[in-house]
Amino acid sequence: MSDVDDKIPPTVAEAMRHLRPPAEPDDEQVAAIVGAVRRDRRTRVWSGVTLAAAAALVLMLVRPDTRQADMPVPDTGARSVVFEINAPDAHRVALVGDFNAWDASAHPMIASAGRWELSVPLSPGRYTYAFIVDGENWRADPAASLASADDFSRPSSVVVINPVNTSMTSTSVRQ
Amino acid sequence: MRFPPPLSFVLIAALSSPLAAQGTSSWRPEETARLQAVLDSAVASSLPISPLRFKVAEGNVKGAAPERVIVVVRSLADAMREARAILGREESETELVSAAATLQSGVSGETLRSLFGSLRIRSASTQVFVAMTDLTQRGVPVSEGASTLMQLARAGAGAPAFEQLRSEIASDVSAGLAARTAVRRRADDYLSRGFTPQGSVFRSPSP
C-alpha cells in the first residue's frame, strides 16, 4: 500500500488513510471508523470503504455462529443469505465479493464438519463473489451462477437478491 | 473534467483498501488518471457507478495489473451502454448489469435483444440474463442456449422457472452430465409441464 500512497497526491492520500479501515480492527478502531465514515445514504451500502467498516462492525457485534437465516432486516429489504462451500481440508475460508469490497477479513466463514458457511444480510441487487481458501486458493461456488468471463484469472460466482416483495430469489445459496 | 471529490475518495479507497493484501498492485498516477477518466465517462453517461467500483476492488484484490483493471472496467462500462440501448432507460441497475454480463460472455447485442423481446413476463429479464450467461460459461453454444431460453420465455417461463433451470443444470453438471444435455432435458421437461401465471414450472405435467 505504501507504493500507492507515494503515488497519490498528499491530500487524497491523507483522506484515504482516514477512510481506509484496518484489516482487523479492535473496538476503539471500529468506533473511530464508524464515526469517521460519512453517512451518505445514497452511497452507504455500495461504498467499498463503508462496506468494509460496516462489515468490521458487524463482526465485532454479531457472534460468528449466529444463524440469521430466519431474521430478515426489515428496513432495507435485505435478506440473510447463507453462503456455503465444501472444503474439508481447509484451515480458513473467506467470503469475498461486491458486498464487502472484496475484503477477505470481512467475512471469515465458519467450519462445520468439513463444510464452511456464513450468513450475510444482502440488500436486493446483483453481487459477484468468491471464496478464498487458506488465503490463496480462489474458488467459485459450484452451485451458483458463474460470473461472466473471468476478468482477472480467478473464478467468481454471481448471486442476485430480488426485492422482498417478489416470490423468488435468483441464487443457489440457502436463505 | 475533474473527478468529483466524493467519487475520487471512493476510487482511491477502492484502489487502496487493504483487502487482506491479496496481491494488490500499485498504481501510477497516469493509470489512476485513466481509470478516473473511464469512471468519469460512465458518470457522464448516467451509468450506475457502483458496478464499476466493485470491479475495481475485485481486480485490485485479485492482483490484477492496473492496465488489466482499466481494460475490464472500460469493457464493463461499454457493455452497460450497449445493454441500456437494448433494454431502454427504465431498466434497474441489477437488470442492466446482468445484461451487460451477458454481452461480455459472448452473446451478441442482437441475441440479447431477441432474448429480451421473447419474454412474456418482463420481470424475468434479470434471471434470463443470468441463466444465459451461466449457460455460455458452461460451454453451451450461444445460439443453442439462447434458442432454448427463448423457447421457454415464449411458453411463459418467468423468473422462478429460469432460476430453477439454472440451479438444476448446475446440479446436473456437478453430477457429471454435459451442460448441453442438461439444458435440453430440463427445458423439454419444463415445456411438457407448463408454467403458472407467475412463471413457475408446474409441479406435474399439464393435462
Side-chain angles (χ1 to χ4, degrees):
Chain A
M1 289 297 122
S2 60
D3 288 341
V4 177
D5 290 345
D6 292 344
K7 303 294 191 292
I8 304 299
T11 52
V12 177
E14 183 60 28
M16 180 182 69
R17 278 190 282 273
H18 282 302
L19 289 172
R20 183 197 317 159
E24 295 184 4
D26 58 21
D27 289 341
E28 185 177 348
Q29 289 171 321
V30 168
I33 292 167
V34 172
V37 172
R38 289 186 297 133
R39 297 291 182 181
D40 182 341
R41 190 174 184 81
R42 177 166 51 84
T43 61
R44 180 177 59 197
V45 174
W46 307 115
S47 160
V49 173
T50 321
L51 270 176
L57 183 60
V58 168
L59 281 175
M60 295 300 296
L61 297 179
V62 177
R63 298 181 194 280
D65 59 349
T66 296
R67 299 301 301 274
Q68 301 182 49
D70 298 326
M71 299 170 55
V73 180
D75 292 339
T76 64
R79 291 181 174 178
S80 288
V81 178
V82 179
F83 294 87
E84 55 186 352
I85 187 171
N86 187 37
D89 298 328
H91 298 287
R92 66 182 191 278
V93 179
L95 173 66
V96 294
D98 294 339
F99 44 79
N100 65 10
W102 295 83
D103 183 352
S105 66
H107 286 118
M109 301 187 74
I110 302 162
S112 175
R115 291 193 65 79
W116 297 76
E117 62 179 47
L118 187 69
S119 176
V120 179
L122 295 181
S123 297
R126 180 184 186 276
Y127 305 89
T128 303
Y129 69 98
F131 304 107
I132 304 178
V133 178
D134 291 334
E136 59 183 10
N137 298 317
W138 287 75
R139 290 179 55 180
D141 187 337
S145 297
L146 295 174
S148 68
D150 186 25
D151 297 320
F152 304 116
S153 301
R154 311 270 197 177
S156 298
S157 301
V158 170
V159 61
V160 174
I161 307 300
N162 291 338
V164 175
N165 60 354
T166 60
S167 60
M168 188 66 191
T169 294
S170 178
T171 173
S172 67
V173 300
R174 289 190 292 118
Q175 294 192 56
Chain B
M1 180 174 173
R2 298 289 297 173
F3 218 48
L7 286 172
S8 291
F9 291 164
V10 169
L11 166 63
I12 299 303
L15 290 175
S16 61
S17 49
L19 306 175
Q22 287 291 321
T24 54
S25 303
S26 61
W27 285 61
R28 299 194 304 272
E30 58 268 28
E31 292 167 334
T32 304
R34 285 171 55 204
L35 181 61
Q36 285 183 339
V38 173
L39 297 179
D40 200 6
S41 176
V43 171
S45 300
S46 299
L47 292 176
I49 201 67
S50 295
L52 303 177
R53 285 172 19 211
F54 293 157
K55 192 59 67 175
V56 172
E58 178 186 351
N60 215 31
V61 173
K62 288 182 174 180
E67 181 60 39
R68 180 61 186 162
V69 175
I70 294 169
V71 167
V72 170
V73 173
R74 182 183 294 120
S75 173
L76 176 57
D78 290 342
M80 285 200 289
R81 287 190 184 89
E82 183 178 1
R84 170 164 285 170
I86 293 170
L87 301 178
R89 291 187 64 86
E90 303 80 27
E91 81 289 341
S92 68
E93 177 176 316
T94 301
E95 184 181 32
L96 181 66
V97 177
S98 297
T102 302
L103 292 171
Q104 289 186 295
S105 72
V107 176
S108 70
E110 180 181 348
T111 299
L112 185 74
R113 189 187 307 274
S114 298
L115 188 58
F116 183 61
S118 67
L119 290 168
R120 285 170 51 181
I121 303 176
R122 165 66 193 269
S123 61
S125 58
T126 295
Q127 279 71 24
V128 78
F129 296 149
V130 170
M132 184 71 238
T133 303
D134 191 62
L135 294 182
T136 303
Q137 296 304 299
R138 294 189 186 279
V140 177
V142 172
S143 59
E144 196 170 310
S147 174
T148 300
L149 294 178
M150 282 191 276
Q151 189 179 13
L152 292 169
R154 294 192 191 101
F162 288 118
E163 169 53 22
Q164 181 177 339
L165 177 71
R166 186 213 59 74
S167 177
E168 292 185 338
I169 289 173
S171 296
D172 292 340
V173 171
S174 294
L177 194 63
R180 293 177 72 178
T181 304
V183 171
R184 197 62 257 167
R185 285 186 183 180
R186 293 293 181 181
D188 288 344
D189 176 46
Y190 292 5
L191 290 169
S192 71
R193 291 156 65 181
F195 303 98
T196 68
Q198 294 74 34
S200 299
V201 183
F202 275 114
R203 290 183 181 276
S204 57
S206 54

